[in-house]
Amino acid sequence: LKSQSYKLHSYYETGKRDAFVLAADMFLKNPNSSAEDIHTIRFELAESYFHLAQSCEDEQKKGALLREALAQYQQVMETSYCDLTLIPQAYAYEYLKEYAKAASLYALLAQKEPEKKEDWLFHQASMQLQGDRRGAIDTFAKIVELQGKNASRAAFNQLNLLFQEREYKDFILAHDRVIGHVSENKL
């Protein structure tokens, strides 16, 4: 069992993802595998599927590989690997057009990584544009409040969305708060 585990890690560390994927299933089905080893192999399996998807040209196969990765990531969410799964899961959901799930993961990343909060919130708002425009407006408002590098774009997007959604009262209220962030060429 230990030699099988070492062999799998060797495949993973050397980037032999196809070989890893084929060998991992047998290890995961072995009843003598420890819980920690199973978590590690599942995480590495998810990463392998994710990386195989990144290099795949066939859109249908890429989607299938990302779904496989997501299935494995989901099984290690309650382990020490949880935080390492958030970014690839968000990207996978985004690719698969599951925008609400991607948005919620970007929101979680914004909480967990304060140094990248503004970037993660911008990703969240971009996903919300696909189906939760009110949520996107609120997220853009949060970005403006941070007064960081994306404040100008966020202010413009917030006002633009409020106008598109015919929320004229909110547009006027937001206008006074955020207009100072909107760049001259966008005014």
Side-chain angles (χ1 to χ4, degrees):
L1 191 62
K2 274 294 179 200
S3 65
Q4 190 181 17
S5 174
Y6 292 135
K7 185 177 180 180
L8 281 168
H9 290 302
S10 171
Y11 284 151
Y12 180 75
E13 293 297 326
T14 58
K16 295 178 181 171
R17 304 205 190 282
D18 289 318
F20 181 88
V21 167
L22 291 173
D25 191 46
M26 190 166 44
F27 180 87
L28 293 172
K29 289 180 179 174
N30 187 329
N32 297 321
S33 300
S34 74
E36 187 55 39
D37 284 343
I38 287 174
H39 297 320
T40 300
I41 297 304
R42 281 204 188 285
F43 174 73
E44 292 174 352
L45 182 58
E47 290 284 287
S48 294
Y49 279 128
F50 185 77
H51 288 285
L52 287 169
Q54 297 303 330
S55 60
C56 184
E57 299 290 325
D58 179 335
E59 296 297 316
Q60 196 169 14
K61 185 176 181 186
K62 184 174 186 169
L65 288 167
L66 287 173
R67 282 188 268 290
E68 289 289 342
L70 285 168
Q72 297 304 319
Y73 284 132
Q74 290 297 309
Q75 293 187 53
V76 295
M77 285 296 289
E78 302 297 322
T79 71
S80 61
Y81 294 102
C82 178
D83 288 350
L84 298 173
T85 73
L86 300 177
I87 294 172
Q89 283 188 85
Y91 288 140
Y93 282 127
E94 183 174 341
Y95 179 83
L96 295 170
K97 295 179 174 43
E98 295 187 39
Y99 301 117
K101 290 180 181 178
S104 68
L105 286 168
Y106 287 129
L108 185 57
L109 282 161
Q111 291 173 1
K112 288 184 173 279
E113 297 182 2
E115 69 283 359
K116 295 181 181 177
K117 182 176 186 170
E118 186 180 9
D119 292 326
W120 293 130
L121 287 174
F122 215 92
H123 281 291
Q124 177 188 0
S126 298
M127 295 299 97
Q128 290 171 316
L129 286 173
Q130 308 301 321
D132 179 14
R133 292 170 71 85
R134 183 71 233 177
I137 291 167
D138 295 340
T139 303
F140 283 129
K142 289 177 189 174
I143 296 168
V144 173
E145 288 172 19
L146 294 173
Q147 298 185 15
K149 65 182 185 216
N150 291 318
S152 176
R153 287 179 27 214
F156 176 78
N157 289 339
Q158 179 188 10
L159 290 174
N160 195 27
L161 279 171
L162 285 167
F163 186 78
Q164 288 175 7
E165 295 296 305
R166 294 188 166 104
E167 295 186 28
Y168 302 122
K169 179 181 172 190
D170 289 341
F171 177 91
I172 292 168
L173 292 172
H175 178 275
D176 294 338
R177 281 194 315 273
V178 304
I179 197 64
H181 294 287
V182 178
S183 64
E184 283 292 321
N185 64 335
K186 299 278 186 177
L187 280 175

